[in-house]
Amino acid sequence: MSSDKEIKFPEETLELVRRMMKRYPEGKQKSALIPVLHLAQAEFDGWLSPQVMDYVASLLNIQSIEVYEVASFYSMFNLKPVGKCTIEVCRTSSCWLMGAEDVIRHIEKKLNIKTGQTTADGMFTLKGVECLGSCGTAPMLQVGAEYHENLTLEKVDSLLDNLRKEDKRKCYTDHFDPQSN
Amino acid sequence: MGKKLLLEKDHVPGIRSYEVYRKEGGYASVEKAIKSMTPEAIVEEVKKSGLRGRGGAGFPTGMKWSFLAKPPGVARYLVCNADESEPGTFKDRYLMERIPHLLIEGMITSSFALGANTSYIYIRGEYFYVARILEQAIEEAYKNGWLGKNILGSGYDLDLYVHVGAGAYICGEETALLESLEGKRGNPRIKPPFPAVAGLYGCPTVVNNVETIAAVVPIVNQGGDAYAAIGIGKSTGTKLISASGHINKPGVYEIEMGITVEDFIYSEEYCGGMKGGRKLKAVVAGGSSVPILPADLILKTANGEPRLMSYESLADGGFASGTMLGSGGFIVMDDSTSIVKNLWNFTRFYHHESCGQCSPCREGTGWMEKILHKILDGHGSMKDIDLLWDIQSKIEGKTICPLGDAAAWPVASAIRHFRKDFEEYVQNPSSIKDVHHYYRLNDLTEA
Ligand SMILES: Cc1cc2nc3c(=O)[nH]c(=O)nc-3n(C[C@H](O)[C@H](O)[C@H](O)COP(=O)(O)O)c2cc1C
Ligand code: SF4
Ligand code: FES
């Protein structure tokens, strides 16, 4: 993230953080850590820099180290910068049986990167992830909050094209309209 | 058509909304429980129902509930396990996405039975959009007086919250889940004490799977005896099965326990047979952690009896010739499947997901992955097969949590039933077809 951007949530996010902290008993505000880290990652360019983690620690009134040890444990938290869209392809058994390898190889070729890397233009990061609970609609991938299932290579192509056209950062916390599904 | 208790209404248009759910008879169990039953009477019905935990271990739910400590003046918690990360399992997602109010209703009725005034649904972070659906349903339930203070004028208060995780299979293990809910790394706790005595924030806690909690709704509505009348033997009621792999109709099916495996795979009502008419090679019947069985042993027990979809029948023969119902993640493999490569895939998964607290699990999963990689690379020796066997036997039963066993069983069963496949790869490396070694080890740590 650019160093000149001030690390501070906008007021409405702060309000959300306060509400989240109230979900847990008095003195147990640390419970809100993971949900708040999700908000922080969405707010500050898709990853958690040490400065962002220190900020989260100050919000929850806990030590920075308590934030670092949690952020580094969970696979959804990025400790390094990522592209605008992280393409997370499930590589576990059922998806593998249904052709996940072909999907990954196809995306690598198309974006000219290896799994774990980000495209030079900062648009895409490709990640291999474990079973996302979509095994009956395999192969599948996730971008931000959205699941893309029953993939074919054509579907992957048009998804990448659309994401490029849209040119927007995708986050797990993105609004998802339940009625649209 | 088999009887359905959970998914009977899943195709009613708009069932995700409160209005439709209520019109279809929703929240009747809360009314009945709070207005006409004592908490003890509800626990009694759950005991009578014979319901067993649907998260994987199959522990009797009524018994678990009766273990809950009740020291005066100490809060008690009900935590719903919606972490659903066992490879091959996607039933909880389906239920929550389709009929979110069924889970909310079950949470209220169950919380009342346990005397919990605050309950949480811990859902895996990747299911963020499902969490939103649940939160919307919870909001509707509050608005209509099913949650909050003085529910139905009874004096009973309940707050219910959704809590998202952030990607860690181990957080499905109940004590790791509680650690995670407390805002820590998901390291399983040493037991005892069990959560029933010291769980969330050190208070007595019950952790139950989504499907278990949902099943409390028909149990309270129709009575424990009616529930127990469905199914077979100690496998009462219905079970959600997540079917995936090389079948014509993958998906979530609610089955009456006791139908045959053959019927489940081949009948039109369920999986609709093998994709492309190919031959069945193997099945992992209960999520990645349970022993894999070859076609002959999954369709029939070692005694030649038809294998049934039930806890007992799937386990018939022990690990020598049986497996487990587990989470109901039913993965079907046809004769094009490389058992060795599938095993490598599973082993890589467990290595990736080990929390790292116990050396047998942390180191053993890594070594098994490396050895399988070597075999798939065409450099394996016969000794490597024995070494794999040796390593898995030294993980099983020697770790803090059952993830160690879950990593060991797939290896043991694959070697037990498919040793020939491993030997073929060792003796004739050119037979290793369609094995791309696509994921290099450093991809895994990088990604
Ligand atoms: C490594 C591991 C992962 C688990 N994952 C889940 C899970 O995703 N969902 C679940 O309900 N139970 C899971 N369990 C089982 C839980 O520890 C616990 O037994 C279960 O939530 C109890 O609920 P039940 O009695 O309703 O089945 C897991 C266990 C282990 C050892
Ligand atoms: S068995 Fe594995 S996952 Fe479980 S506590 Fe030990 S190291 Fe962690
Ligand atoms: S194996 Fe890919 S979603 Fe389950």
Side-chain angles (χ1 to χ4, degrees):
Chain A
M1 66 172 285
S2 52
S3 51
D4 51 348
K5 186 166 162 188
E6 194 196 356
I7 296 172
K8 190 172 184 328
F9 281 140
E11 188 45 43
E12 57 183 48
T13 312
L14 279 174
E15 180 51 35
L16 197 57
V17 170
R18 283 191 283 268
R19 269 198 286 144
M20 275 178 176
M21 285 165 70
K22 286 213 193 89
R23 295 177 160 195
Y24 311 96
E26 196 62 38
K28 306 293 180 193
Q29 79 285 351
K30 184 176 170 179
S31 276
L33 178 53
I34 289 175
V36 173
L37 282 175
H38 277 299
L39 293 178
Q41 186 162 279
E43 182 73 32
F44 305 109
D45 300 332
W47 71 293
L48 299 169
S49 67
Q51 293 82 348
V52 167
M53 290 191 274
D54 293 346
Y55 173 62
V56 169
S58 72
L59 286 179
L60 296 182
N61 203 13
I62 56 179
Q63 300 294 319
S64 293
I65 181 72
E66 296 177 82
V67 181
Y68 302 161
E69 61 178 15
V70 163
S72 59
F73 185 85
Y74 295 91
S75 63
M76 289 172 79
F77 294 134
N78 301 311
L79 300 182
K80 283 187 290 186
V82 288
K84 274 189 183 162
C85 299
T86 302
I87 316 282
E88 304 186 277
V89 188
C90 172
R91 60 188 176 191
T92 317
S93 178
S94 304
C95 284
W96 167 67
L97 289 171
M98 303 309 287
E101 284 188 352
D102 296 333
V103 171
I104 297 187
R105 211 172 314 112
H106 182 75
I107 300 177
E108 284 190 335
K109 218 151 108 208
K110 186 148 170 144
L111 298 181
N112 197 22
I113 50 172
K114 290 262 156 224
T115 302
Q117 296 178 338
T118 300
T119 52
D121 62 0
M123 188 64 214
F124 295 110
T125 298
L126 179 61
K127 230 167 139 172
V129 296
E130 305 300 347
C131 180
L132 292 176
S134 235
C135 332
T137 41
M140 67 82 64
L141 61 78
Q142 179 168 24
V143 187
E146 290 158 25
Y147 273 40
H148 298 270
E149 302 169 79
N150 291 312
L151 292 176
T152 59
L153 299 186
E154 294 74 45
K155 274 199 200 172
V156 170
D157 283 343
S158 69
L159 171 67
L160 293 178
D161 290 345
N162 289 341
L163 289 172
R164 210 185 277 284
K165 251 185 253 149
E166 220 185 320
D167 196 25
K168 254 179 62 190
R169 182 169 293 285
K170 294 279 181 188
C171 300
Y172 299 118
T173 52
D174 282 346
H175 179 72
F176 183 88
D177 179 9
Q179 304 312 326
S180 71
N181 202 23
Chain B
M1 283 275 280
K3 195 168 171 66
K4 290 187 180 176
L5 299 174
L6 305 181
L7 300 183
E8 197 189 352
K9 304 255 161 79
D10 71 333
H11 284 291
V12 173
I15 194 73
R16 195 187 271 169
S17 73
Y18 173 77
E19 285 70 30
V20 177
Y21 182 77
R22 177 75 178 138
K23 218 172 76 210
E24 293 288 332
Y27 288 94
S29 79
V30 179
E31 269 179 317
K32 181 169 176 184
I34 293 189
K35 287 191 176 158
S36 67
M37 293 173 83
T38 60
E40 296 72 30
I42 301 170
V43 175
E44 210 39 54
E45 288 306 315
V46 174
K47 272 192 184 159
K48 267 198 248 165
S49 75
L51 174 67
R52 294 166 66 176
R54 304 299 196 222
F59 192 82
T61 306
M63 205 190 293
K64 185 187 240 183
W65 286 14
S66 63
F67 290 158
L68 185 67
K70 296 184 172 134
V74 178
R76 303 194 278 274
Y77 293 101
L78 171 63
V79 178
C80 173
N81 188 341
D83 192 59
E84 187 161 68
S85 314
E86 172 88 359
T89 317
F90 45 100
K91 63 183 177 81
D92 296 339
R93 172 181 167 220
Y94 184 91
L95 190 152
M96 293 186 286
E97 194 174 332
R98 291 286 182 133
I99 326 178
H101 282 284
L102 182 62
L103 176 59
I104 310 303
E105 178 176 354
M107 284 299 285
I108 301 169
T109 303
S110 304
S111 298
F112 176 72
L114 297 167
N117 298 110
T118 307
S119 298
Y120 297 96
I121 299 172
Y122 181 103
I123 188 168
R124 65 180 297 183
E126 294 91 340
Y127 285 179
F128 234 110
Y129 79 93
V130 185
R132 279 191 191 284
I133 294 172
L134 290 176
E135 283 191 332
Q136 217 163 43
I138 288 175
E139 210 180 296
E140 290 176 318
Y142 267 105
K143 265 197 213 133
N144 288 281
W146 301 104
L147 281 169
K149 293 247 173 288
N150 194 18
I151 299 169
L152 301 181
S154 62
Y156 174 62
D157 304 336
L158 176 64
D159 282 313
L160 176 60
Y161 302 110
V162 179
H163 181 101
V164 287
Y169 166 65
I170 191 58
C171 290
E173 194 281 332
E174 58 186 12
T175 60
L177 183 150
L178 296 174
E179 288 285 300
S180 183
L181 183 47
E182 291 180 6
K184 303 180 209 151
R185 294 165 80 92
N187 288 339
R189 299 174 181 168
I190 293 174
K191 295 189 255 189
F194 288 91
V197 175
L200 185 62
Y201 310 127
C203 300
T205 302
V206 166
V207 180
N208 271 136
N209 174 256
V210 170
E211 185 187 347
T212 311
I213 304 251
V216 171
V217 172
I219 290 169
V220 168
N221 280 336
Q222 295 157 31
D225 288 334
Y227 188 88
I230 302 165
I232 181 167
K234 286 191 175 144
S235 300
T236 59
T238 63
K239 174 87 191 84
L240 300 183
I241 305 290
S242 320
S244 68
H246 299 139
I247 42 176
N248 282 322
K249 298 195 307 171
V252 175
Y253 295 100
E254 180 169 9
I255 61 156
E256 269 187 54
M257 288 231 242
I259 66 168
T260 65
V261 171
E262 181 157 6
D263 199 30
F264 183 68
I265 298 176
Y266 292 100
S267 81
E268 267 318 300
E269 191 177 345
Y270 304 111
C271 302
M274 298 297 293
K275 211 176 165 72
R278 292 190 72 112
K279 236 178 94 192
L280 176 67
K281 178 166 185 178
V283 170
V284 175
S288 59
S289 306
V290 311
I292 189 170
L293 288 183
D296 53 338
L297 282 178
I298 189 69
L299 296 173
K300 287 201 164 47
T301 66
N303 298 330
E305 304 278 329
R307 183 85 73 182
L308 310 180
M309 299 287 281
S310 72
Y311 290 100
E312 291 74 24
S313 180
L314 282 167
D316 188 283
F319 280 2
S321 62
T323 180
M324 297 194 295
L325 178 62
S327 66
F330 197 90
I331 310 172
V332 181
M333 301 172 191
D334 72 17
D335 57 356
S336 72
T337 309
S338 164
I339 298 295
V340 182
K341 180 138 191 213
N342 181 67
L343 180 64
W344 166 78
N345 190 302
F346 279 163
T347 304
R348 190 219 55 221
F349 170 82
Y350 289 108
H351 181 210
H352 186 257
E353 300 299 331
S354 166
C355 85
Q357 282 191 111
C358 331
S359 7
C361 170
R362 181 188 62 239
E363 305 300 323
T365 51
W367 280 108
M368 293 194 300
E369 183 194 343
K370 274 190 200 134
I371 294 164
L372 284 161
H373 199 268
K374 179 179 162 199
I375 294 175
L376 287 168
D377 249 335
H379 303 300
S381 68
M382 291 302 216
K383 270 206 215 126
D384 287 326
I385 308 174
D386 298 328
L387 185 56
L388 272 176
W389 183 269
D390 190 47
I391 296 173
Q392 69 77 23
S393 72
K394 287 183 171 133
I395 300 175
E396 190 192 1
K398 297 180 181 66
T399 55
I400 293 176
C401 92
L403 187 140
D405 300 341
W409 294 339
V411 176
S413 55
I415 297 178
R416 186 179 293 121
H417 300 300
F418 295 94
R419 195 178 179 104
K420 276 210 317 285
D421 292 33
F422 291 79
E423 292 176 351
E424 170 79 4
Y425 279 9
V426 166
Q427 288 165 335
N428 179 15
S430 66
S431 70
I432 308 173
K433 292 190 300 278
D434 195 32
V435 170
H436 312 291
H437 312 299
Y438 191 69
Y439 316 112
R440 293 287 166 192
L441 290 174
N442 48 0
D443 287 347
L444 304 177
T445 38
E446 264 312 292

